[in-house]
Amino acid sequence: MIPTLLFVAFIVLLLMGVPIGAALGLAGAACIALANADAQWFGLLAVPQNFYAGLGKYPLLAIPMFVLVGSIFDRSGVALRLVNFAVAIVGRGPGMLPLVAIAVAMFLGGISGSGPANAAAVGGVMILAMSRAGYPPAFSASVVGAAAATDILIPPSIAFIVYSVMVPGASVPALFAAGMIPGVMAGLALMIPAVWMARKHKMGTLEATMPRPAFWKSFREATWGLAAPVLILGGMRAGWFTPTEAAVVAVFYGLFVGMIIYRTIRVRDLFVILRESGELSAVILLVVSLAGIFAYSLSTLGVIDPLTRAIVGSGLGEYGVLALLILLLVTVGMFLDGVSIFLIFVPLLLPIVNHYQWDPVWFGVILTLKVALGQFTPPMAVNLMVSCRIAKVPMEATVRWVGWMLFSMAIVMVLVIAFPELALWLPRQLGY
């Protein structure tokens, strides 16, 4: 009775418009109180204890730092200089600006760990440039929203950090390495339909008439931005700092570039940057901590074991169960953000992962690929929300364009499922 009430209360609260974090915490706390009714208020002590336990994990310190990095690089002008350099390489012509947008978003994925932050940084530069070149705003928003989804696959990644604190045996460095090849594959897969659609529908007719930046000048201007992923990922690989420490290093590097080198960030801008980053970080970490209460109620009420036995005993087999989970997560990903999906479903899925002896790092990449798809799948696509706001178009206008890019990234997910070494080869080579 109480386990059923847990899910009913959670769904009802969501339908009432209660924020996802509050719904998780309230439903979990109510069921903990009912399950410990005989203990009076002593049973409720589990609520603050698990609130803190969900938050008191060292790797989570990296989340506000990487959010801050995304905000700093958004305002520093790094994205604009990377765009100019990319255009200098590939040149002008139909379909080239969408290709540049995806390439720059992939590169910024090695600096920031947040998809919406990436969409804001790339969209602020590319949507206006694509509009001037003759691309429809809805198409531009679709390309930027989809491209920013590679951010959570290409390290550093907030999604991987959240997953690592929930799953034993999946370290942050191993997950970062495992996401590299699938992340690059996802970016390349997005380029194909983006360029094809641009040329098929004769978009970007004015692009060929626009000037091409000088190669060496744009390279010099982009050097500081190009060095950022090398510093962050190379420093972690060399053992100079942990992923959490790398986030702090990235913050100071971004401030140095923005305030000293480019001089696009002034002292008075720091308050706005810190406020925006603090608000976003607080939302993420509050959801994480409230989900700790929900996860505790799941385990103490005995929900997970019967559910696991039902799924394993369904007769679908290993790949049938995996297909069922992907279908479930595809559907859920249309309505919930990635961090919420991890926090709700990883405790439920972990026993299934252990039963079939799936590699937790490989499964983390599969789950993150699904989350990446959800970030630009209408109607609740966080990346598309950002890019559509910049392009000033309704999200419904992107459906005709974004479908092909969803299909392309789904193929990458199928390949990683069929060939696990695409995710596991690099961590193994690096000794993680």
Side-chain angles (χ1 to χ4, degrees):
M1 177 62 183
I2 296 179
T4 304
L5 181 62
L6 175 67
F7 289 103
V8 171
F10 174 62
I11 294 171
V12 169
L13 287 169
L14 284 182
L15 294 176
M16 290 172 59
V18 177
I20 180 75
L24 288 168
L26 289 172
C31 290
I32 289 171
L34 288 174
N36 296 276
D38 295 337
Q40 297 179 354
W41 62 272
F42 291 103
L44 286 175
L45 289 175
V47 174
Q49 288 171 350
N50 284 279
F51 183 92
Y52 174 77
L55 199 58
K57 298 179 176 69
Y58 177 72
L60 291 179
L61 286 173
I63 291 179
M65 291 295 102
F66 279 127
V67 170
L68 181 56
V69 169
S71 183
I72 291 171
F73 275 89
D74 178 19
R75 292 176 176 269
S76 65
V78 168
L80 177 60
R81 290 165 173 81
L82 290 175
V83 166
N84 288 335
F85 179 55
V87 172
I89 294 174
V90 302
R92 297 286 191 178
M96 290 299 99
L97 275 181
L99 187 150
V100 167
I102 296 169
V104 171
M106 290 170 62
F107 191 84
L108 287 178
I111 300 173
S112 165
S114 167
N118 195 330
V122 177
V125 177
M126 290 305 306
I127 288 178
L128 180 59
M130 292 172 71
S131 176
R132 289 173 176 169
Y135 293 90
F139 175 77
S140 304
S142 302
V143 170
V144 171
T150 62
D151 191 282
I152 63 169
L153 286 161
I154 298 174
S157 164
I158 290 176
F160 281 148
I161 294 171
V162 172
Y163 181 83
S164 72
V165 302
M166 303 179 71
V167 179
S171 68
V172 174
L175 287 164
F176 279 6
M180 183 65 76
I181 294 176
V184 172
M185 289 175 60
L188 295 175
L190 291 175
M191 290 177 183
I192 296 171
V195 174
W196 172 71
M197 286 188 291
R199 295 187 175 181
K200 178 183 178 182
H201 296 279
K202 295 180 172 58
M203 303 179 194
T205 52
L206 301 177
E207 186 176 347
T209 64
M210 300 172 71
R212 181 174 180 174
F215 177 82
W216 289 111
K217 180 183 178 182
S218 59
F219 173 70
R220 286 194 303 272
E221 293 177 346
T223 300
W224 290 98
L226 295 171
V230 178
L231 172 66
I232 298 169
L233 302 178
M236 285 191 290
R237 175 57 190 152
W240 296 341
F241 32 73
T242 66
T244 303
E245 293 165 347
V248 180
V249 171
V251 167
F252 282 95
Y253 180 81
L255 288 174
F256 173 76
V257 172
M259 299 182 75
I260 306 299
I261 304 300
Y262 294 156
R263 298 184 180 181
T264 49
I265 298 177
R266 292 166 292 184
V267 174
R268 64 185 180 188
D269 296 327
L270 293 179
F271 174 77
V272 177
I273 292 173
L274 292 171
R275 185 191 64 197
E276 291 177 350
S277 303
E279 290 173 352
L280 180 56
S281 301
V283 170
I284 295 172
L285 293 175
L286 186 61
V287 173
V288 170
S289 57
L290 289 170
I293 301 170
F294 188 82
Y296 174 80
S297 62
L298 282 177
S299 60
T300 55
L301 294 174
V303 175
I304 296 177
D305 289 342
L307 187 61
T308 302
R309 287 195 295 270
I311 293 174
V312 170
S314 63
L316 294 174
E318 179 178 352
Y319 289 101
V321 169
L322 186 58
L324 177 65
L325 296 181
I326 291 171
L327 181 62
L328 169 67
L329 293 170
V330 165
T331 305
V332 171
M334 296 180 185
F335 302 96
L336 297 178
D337 64 279
V339 172
S340 300
I341 291 172
F342 275 32
L343 296 172
I344 295 169
F345 286 96
V346 167
L348 294 171
L349 299 178
L350 192 55
I352 299 174
V353 173
N354 294 333
H355 175 81
Y356 288 112
Q357 297 183 338
W358 292 333
D359 189 290
V361 173
W362 170 78
F363 187 76
V365 173
I366 297 298
L367 193 56
T368 307
L369 269 166
K370 172 64 225 54
V371 170
L373 282 164
Q375 286 191 332
F376 64 104
T377 302
M380 286 288 290
V382 289
N383 289 359
L384 274 182
M385 285 182 184
V386 175
S387 60
C388 286
R389 192 178 301 121
I390 296 172
K392 298 178 181 178
V393 294
M395 192 180 295
E396 307 86 66
T398 66
V399 173
R400 65 174 297 199
W401 308 116
V402 83
W404 286 105
M405 288 180 275
L406 284 168
F407 177 73
S408 295
M409 190 176 282
I411 291 176
V412 174
M413 182 173 63
V414 171
L415 289 173
V416 176
I417 292 172
F419 304 101
E421 284 299 304
L422 290 173
L424 299 177
W425 177 80
L426 188 57
R428 190 176 295 120
Q429 294 298 312
L430 297 177
Y432 295 135

